Amino acid sequence: MTETNDFIVPPRRWAEIGGIADNLRHKLGLAEEPRVPVIEIIERVLDQRLGLVRFEVGSKQEMGRAEGYTCPNGDFIMLREDVYTGVCAGEGRPRFTAAHELGHWAMHTNIPLARARRGDGTPSFRLAEPQANQFAAEFLMPECFIDALDDEDDLIQRFGVSWEAARNRLRYLHKHGRL
């Protein structure tokens, strides 16, 4: 997907997305774990053990600028090879990308999709990409493990995320009076 393209999806409140992420963590037995093994969840649990989704690694040539892709009917989640290598190494940005694709799978499988362009006036709560980003933030950095004294470095260490993801999560929680 290019930077300006998106899809219109059913509207979701950010709190609803947080509930979806928390529910998945709970079903996987990870509700009490600050750092989740996101690639193991996708590859070993959802694919190999449960057979709910096929996990694939795509080449840079095949995927181009797309770091990940989730089949709209939920058949597969694909990560570009360098992203897969990064998430396996525990790098923050690739972990977020994997969680983002997991969010598409959890929220946007088998639903009607309409193309949209960012900046066309469609509110973010109706767009697939912001919804998947919110899911990734909630899934990787649950509010219950964050307190008002935390800074970006605390979240990076605790959750294995990038500085940008940690900054955005803290800003969101402060802005909404949750810290």
Side-chain angles (χ1 to χ4, degrees):
M1 180 173 301
T2 67
E3 294 173 355
T4 59
N5 292 326
D6 208 331
F7 289 95
I8 297 172
V9 294
R12 292 191 191 271
R13 295 179 342 273
W14 290 160
E16 178 186 358
I17 294 170
I20 293 167
D22 287 345
N23 187 35
L24 183 56
R25 276 175 146 265
H26 181 74
K27 284 182 177 179
L28 294 167
L30 298 168
E32 303 301 319
E33 300 296 324
R35 187 182 297 218
V36 294
V38 66
I39 197 62
E40 288 84 356
I41 291 166
I42 296 170
E43 187 173 18
R44 294 189 185 138
V45 176
L46 298 178
D47 180 358
Q48 296 170 3
R49 188 174 307 152
L50 299 176
L52 297 175
V53 64
R54 189 175 68 250
F55 175 70
E56 299 179 3
V57 177
S59 69
K60 287 183 180 181
Q61 181 180 4
E62 177 182 15
M63 295 188 71
R65 293 180 58 194
E67 295 180 22
Y69 178 74
T70 300
C71 178
N73 63 7
D75 288 343
F76 67 88
I77 293 174
M78 180 184 289
L79 294 179
R80 197 174 61 204
E81 59 192 344
D82 58 315
V83 174
Y84 179 68
T85 300
V87 73
C88 289
E91 296 172 14
R93 191 172 193 290
R95 282 175 41 79
F96 193 92
T97 299
H100 173 100
E101 295 305 324
L102 181 60
H104 281 308
W105 179 78
M107 297 185 299
H108 305 140
T109 295
N110 292 322
I111 62 168
L113 298 172
R115 292 199 181 275
R117 285 188 67 79
R118 294 208 191 126
D120 70 357
T122 304
S124 61
F125 64 86
R126 297 277 335 257
L127 294 172
E129 293 303 301
Q131 285 188 10
N133 284 339
Q134 185 66 24
F135 176 92
E138 297 277 357
F139 188 75
L140 293 176
M141 299 173 279
E143 183 180 344
C144 65
F145 295 112
I146 303 172
D147 69 47
L149 299 177
D150 284 332
D151 64 13
E152 290 84 358
D153 291 330
D154 295 318
L155 271 60
I156 290 166
Q157 291 300 313
R158 188 173 307 133
F159 302 117
V161 296
S162 68
W163 188 87
E164 182 180 11
R167 181 193 60 192
N168 289 341
R169 184 68 169 142
L170 288 171
R171 282 183 178 174
Y172 171 81
L173 293 171
H174 282 293
K175 178 181 176 182
H176 291 89
R178 292 163 63 178
L179 285 184

